[in-house]
Amino acid sequence: MMNIGDDIMFLPKIRFREMTLEENIEVIKWAYFEDNGALSVHDFTVNYFPELANLDSTLSRDKVYKVIEEVVTSDYNKYKDKITNETEKYNSLWKKYNDKYFETLSLYLGVNWPSNVNEIVATVGLIPVFPRYLDKFSFSISTGVDELQLSEVCAHETLHFLWFEKWKKIHPETKRREFDSPYLVWQYSEMVTDPILNNKPFSDMFDFNERGYDSFYEINDNGCKAMDNLRKIYSKDISIEEKINQGFEYINRILNNKKSVRITKK
């Protein structure tokens, strides 16, 4: 329990639980048909489940769904013990970071966790990408993740939850849809994880090197990397509100002067 101003905040806990078979199937159904999204989710899906790579293009969506159900069910049953064991391991590994990180993040952003968010559920399954659900304060993660990647994924995803709580206080006029791809507000939220998590106090807490999507590092500004300039803004001795606004104004100017950039996997 901690204070920010006069408000008391209770720190949430991440609780990992096994993704049900039905949940796992639904994620893959969504991911398979996310072909035109900026994140190339479809491509990651067919690489993860090769059986889905060369389906007849004339198949109806219902028939593709049937194939997905069969493929995911087969793998889910085959690796059920692994899903169970990984879930237990993730709960044990993250426990040592939870309270320190969430308290530090709240102090850094100058905003409390919502009082009704006592638990952040992270479902563990056989998935190629790790979707998050802002409105539910939950996210998903795959099996086979080591402690370094686990800490990065947890820090990254939960940063977004509190980041948007802060954003809503600074920019209450922002429409909810802009928190998701492909809107600029969403893209900016993905870019700032680098300058935030790679610097103190977070760099003292974690061993990972936070990296955004590859295409972010290809954006140039008069011979300089835009991401380097964004890091400089977040290194200034100014308030977090000024960092957020200056950074957004900069990225808005840079990206509006360039052709749209396809977001590629981290």
Side-chain angles (χ1 to χ4, degrees):
M1 189 166 62
M2 55 163 286
N3 290 328
I4 296 180
D6 296 328
D7 298 323
I8 296 177
M9 184 195 77
F10 295 91
L11 302 174
K13 306 282 187 184
I14 294 181
R15 178 177 67 86
F16 295 90
R17 70 161 176 82
E18 297 173 41
M19 188 178 287
T20 66
L21 173 59
E22 292 73 20
E23 288 172 332
N24 210 143
I25 289 171
E26 288 306 308
V27 170
I28 302 307
K29 284 180 178 179
W30 159 76
Y32 181 85
F33 283 102
E34 194 70 6
D35 199 10
N36 296 320
L39 302 179
S40 303
V41 171
H42 172 84
D43 295 339
F44 303 146
T45 303
V46 297
N47 285 334
Y48 193 91
F49 290 102
E51 303 93 328
L52 304 178
N54 298 304
L55 296 184
D56 189 335
S57 61
T58 64
L59 287 178
S60 68
R61 182 173 290 241
D62 285 344
K63 288 183 178 179
V64 173
Y65 280 170
K66 183 66 175 175
V67 175
I68 289 173
E69 289 170 2
E70 293 172 354
V71 169
V72 176
T73 299
S74 175
D75 273 17
Y76 187 93
N77 291 332
K78 185 186 303 182
Y79 298 110
K80 184 67 170 64
D81 288 345
K82 181 176 182 179
I83 295 172
T84 299
N85 293 336
E86 297 283 79
T87 300
E88 294 175 358
K89 182 180 77 172
Y90 295 170
N91 275 312
S92 177
L93 290 175
W94 175 253
K95 189 181 302 182
K96 65 184 179 183
Y97 301 106
N98 191 94
D99 288 358
K100 183 178 180 182
Y101 175 60
F102 286 161
E103 180 176 353
T104 303
L105 183 62
S106 186
L107 289 169
Y108 178 87
L109 292 175
V111 64
N112 280 334
W113 289 90
S115 59
N116 62 331
V117 179
N118 294 316
E119 184 176 79
I120 295 172
V121 175
T123 55
V124 182
L126 306 177
I127 53 177
V129 291
F130 304 162
R132 66 172 171 272
Y133 310 98
L134 283 177
D135 299 323
K136 295 181 178 180
F137 281 78
S138 66
F139 65 96
S140 299
I141 190 170
S142 72
T143 59
V145 171
D146 62 20
E147 181 173 355
L148 196 67
Q149 187 180 8
L150 178 73
S151 61
E152 190 276 335
V153 171
C154 290
H156 178 110
E157 300 303 347
T158 55
L159 187 159
H160 286 304
F161 297 146
L162 205 55
W163 167 270
F164 282 114
E165 292 301 305
K166 181 68 174 183
W167 185 271
K168 286 184 286 187
K169 290 182 179 298
I170 301 174
H171 297 288
E173 76 285 356
T174 305
K175 293 179 172 59
R176 170 60 183 84
R177 65 173 179 267
E178 295 184 48
F179 296 170
D180 296 321
S181 174
Y183 291 95
L184 182 62
V185 171
W186 165 80
Q187 187 163 343
Y188 178 55
S189 76
E190 291 289 352
M191 297 181 79
V192 299
T193 63
D194 179 320
I196 291 175
L197 293 177
N198 286 328
N199 290 290
K200 292 183 177 183
F202 306 104
S203 58
D204 291 335
M205 194 179 309
F206 299 112
D207 291 329
F208 62 74
N209 178 39
E210 168 67 10
R211 182 174 171 83
Y213 297 105
D214 290 343
S215 53
F216 294 160
Y217 302 90
E218 298 168 3
I219 302 171
N220 289 298
D221 177 21
N222 294 323
C224 298
K225 295 292 185 182
M227 282 296 290
D228 289 341
N229 289 335
L230 187 60
R231 291 190 194 103
K232 290 178 182 177
I233 292 172
Y234 275 77
S235 296
K236 291 181 178 180
D237 186 18
I238 55 178
S239 71
I240 185 61
E241 291 81 7
E242 290 173 298
K243 291 176 182 180
I244 290 172
N245 285 333
Q246 286 186 22
F248 185 67
E249 289 168 4
Y250 173 68
I251 294 302
N252 185 29
R253 176 175 62 81
I254 294 301
L255 293 185
N256 280 336
N257 287 333
K258 297 181 181 298
K259 296 179 180 178
S260 61
V261 179
R262 182 175 176 81
I263 308 297
T264 53
K265 191 178 182 183
K266 292 197 288 184

